[in-house]
Amino acid sequence: MRFYYPEINKAHAELTGEAHTHAAYALRIRTGDTITVFDGKGTDYACKVVDIKKDKTFLEIIDVASNVGEAKTAVTLYLSVIKQDRFEMAVQKATELGINRIVPVYTTFTQRNIILNYDRLNKIAVAACEQCGRSVIPVIEQAIDFGELVERAKKTHMIFLWERELHGSMQSAIDKTASDVAVFVGPEGGITEPEKTELTAAGAQAVTLGKRILRAETAAIAALSVVYYEMGEWVL
């Protein structure tokens, strides 16, 4: 069992608040059990439960490990703002796959009336890290506009999905020597021709995922899976 607890005290390790309540009352851990506590910044603590009180769980740290479950390549997902439940799915699955940073983007066809709940998105990322065995919580930024995305494209290795792209394969577009990679996925209405032109001029590469038109969250998951495979994170 894994628990996110960023304030862990190495000298007097204990769980309090929501972490304690979840461990002691929801999962019913007992004295003598071994659990893992991670701080979300890269460190895992293997702990033995030594006592459980009403308001806290006392632990003994028996081992420490760094960057457990983390990918070697830093990957950023730029995802156009879509409905909350679908953005949540993208956050959950991208976190499981190993994403480092998620940035919502407003584009021409983005529905401007959609307001993302960032507190909920962060909680979903934390839960995904607990489930999949990661030690670093991905950063979820506040939404940026398309102009900012173009500026960032000038500074990083970025690929973007474009439904009218016929020949650009992800395999050929991904620089396998890059230490960081960015993927941009547009909204339901797609990326406009002028937006495609601006991104290309900034150095980003348009790629295709094939003949079928995928929902934005599906396209994001599929694209990230390909990136991690090409960067050597998958063993098939």
Side-chain angles (χ1 to χ4, degrees):
M1 291 179 282
R2 292 174 57 79
F3 300 91
Y4 172 57
Y5 197 69
E7 299 88 11
I8 187 167
N9 184 322
K10 301 179 186 64
H12 305 284
E14 59 189 32
L15 298 180
T16 59
E18 289 185 9
H20 160 71
T21 301
H22 183 58
Y25 297 105
L27 297 178
R28 298 183 181 277
I29 62 171
R30 294 292 180 262
T31 301
D33 287 350
T34 299
I35 66 172
T36 299
V37 178
F38 69 105
D39 62 7
K41 299 176 182 178
T43 305
D44 272 23
Y45 301 90
C47 301
K48 181 179 179 180
V49 179
V50 295
D51 197 9
I52 302 174
K53 299 297 185 182
K54 182 178 179 180
D55 61 345
K56 65 179 60 177
T57 300
F58 295 91
L59 307 170
E60 175 190 354
I61 297 175
I62 56 179
D63 196 16
V64 180
S66 299
N67 295 318
V68 176
E70 295 305 310
K72 296 177 182 178
T73 304
V75 181
T76 299
L77 171 63
Y78 292 95
L79 177 60
S80 290
V81 175
I82 53 178
K83 291 181 179 179
Q84 177 76 25
D85 59 339
R86 292 166 55 201
F87 206 100
E88 288 174 5
M89 176 182 286
V91 167
Q92 181 187 61
K93 302 310 177 186
T95 300
E96 291 176 22
L97 288 169
I99 202 72
N100 297 87
R101 185 176 297 269
I102 299 172
V103 186
V105 183
Y106 283 108
T107 65
T108 299
F109 291 142
T110 301
Q111 296 182 41
R112 297 283 170 164
N113 62 332
I114 297 176
I115 305 298
L116 296 175
N117 183 333
Y118 291 95
D119 286 341
R120 179 165 170 77
L121 293 177
N122 279 292
K123 287 180 180 178
I124 288 171
V126 168
C129 284
E130 288 179 332
Q131 178 272 318
C132 74
R134 290 188 59 184
S135 59
V136 177
I137 307 295
V139 174
I140 302 178
E141 292 189 20
Q142 296 288 314
I144 63 174
D145 61 24
F146 184 77
E148 174 62 22
L149 176 70
V150 172
E151 289 303 309
R152 295 190 185 193
K154 297 175 182 178
K155 303 172 185 177
T156 189
H157 174 49
M158 182 181 292
I159 61 176
F160 65 97
L161 308 183
W162 197 47
E163 65 274 12
R164 282 179 277 175
E165 177 61 40
L166 300 177
H167 306 294
S169 73
M170 290 192 65
Q171 186 178 44
S172 60
I174 296 170
D175 179 0
K176 297 178 181 60
T177 66
S179 58
D180 60 273
V181 176
V183 178
F184 170 51
V185 178
E188 291 303 303
I191 299 170
T192 66
E193 187 80 43
E195 287 172 336
K196 185 262 184 183
T197 300
E198 283 192 67
L199 284 171
T200 302
Q205 292 180 267
V207 297
T208 178
L209 282 178
K211 299 177 181 179
R212 290 173 295 282
I213 303 298
L214 306 179
R215 283 181 175 270
E217 67 274 23
T218 308
I221 296 165
L224 291 176
S225 297
V226 174
V227 168
Y228 285 115
Y229 173 74
E230 290 296 327
M231 300 303 290
E233 294 295 334
W234 290 83
V235 179
L236 301 178

